[in-house]
Amino acid sequence: MRRSRAALAALLTTLSLASCTPLYVPPVPSGTLTAPASWRVAGDAEFQVLGAASATGLRVRLRFAEVPAPAWVAVQWFGPAGGERASASTWVTPDDVGRWIAWDLPSEVVLAPGSWRAVVSVGERLLRQLDAVVPAAHAP
């Protein structure tokens, strides 16, 4: 009788401890989880004021860390008054990953003093927004 009580107590203890551990094991996917390819700009994008003594233009430079497919990459320049002053685009392919790509503000655009903004995009997707200040002493 003592043995049966001890065996019953051991069985109940084992069952109660087993109930504390989860019985559900989530399935592990057979393949590895990888993020889909996406447009990624490397951290070192630049928006430069060109010219030493007087500003002669603006330049946007950046490098891509990932390019999923060939596409047109566009840059729009916005002047101190807020309106779009110019735009340009370049065909970018996966071979351009790691290379510097540059866009210059067209020379016919008058470079006004103040805060300029450049927006880099692919299709409907915004990739980077950059700011540069053209000092009053540098404007023509």
Side-chain angles (χ1 to χ4, degrees):
M1 183 91 154
R2 274 198 134 141
R3 282 187 171 202
S4 64
R5 283 188 183 180
L8 182 61
L11 177 64
L12 289 175
T13 303
T14 303
L15 289 176
S16 66
L17 289 176
S19 67
C20 294
T21 60
L23 298 176
Y24 171 75
V25 177
V28 177
S30 59
T32 59
L33 297 176
T34 56
S38 178
W39 286 90
R40 290 188 312 120
V41 176
D44 45 3
E46 302 172 349
F47 190 18
Q48 305 165 326
V49 178
L50 303 175
S54 63
T56 58
L58 297 173
R59 175 177 290 155
V60 172
R61 290 181 61 211
L62 57 82
R63 293 185 302 159
F64 285 101
E66 185 175 356
V67 175
W72 288 101
V73 177
V75 175
Q76 291 86 29
W77 286 274
F78 296 88
E84 182 179 343
R85 301 294 298 277
S87 64
S89 58
T90 300
W91 185 252
V92 176
T93 67
D95 293 337
D96 293 319
V97 169
R99 296 181 188 159
W100 282 102
I101 300 173
W103 295 267
D104 289 339
L105 180 70
S107 58
E108 63 269 8
V109 176
V110 177
L111 196 59
S115 179
W116 284 73
R117 183 169 39 106
V119 175
V120 181
S121 60
V122 172
E124 299 289 322
R125 182 169 180 198
L126 173 69
L127 297 178
R128 191 62 56 100
Q129 178 175 315
L130 305 161
D131 296 310
V133 175
V134 176
H138 291 310

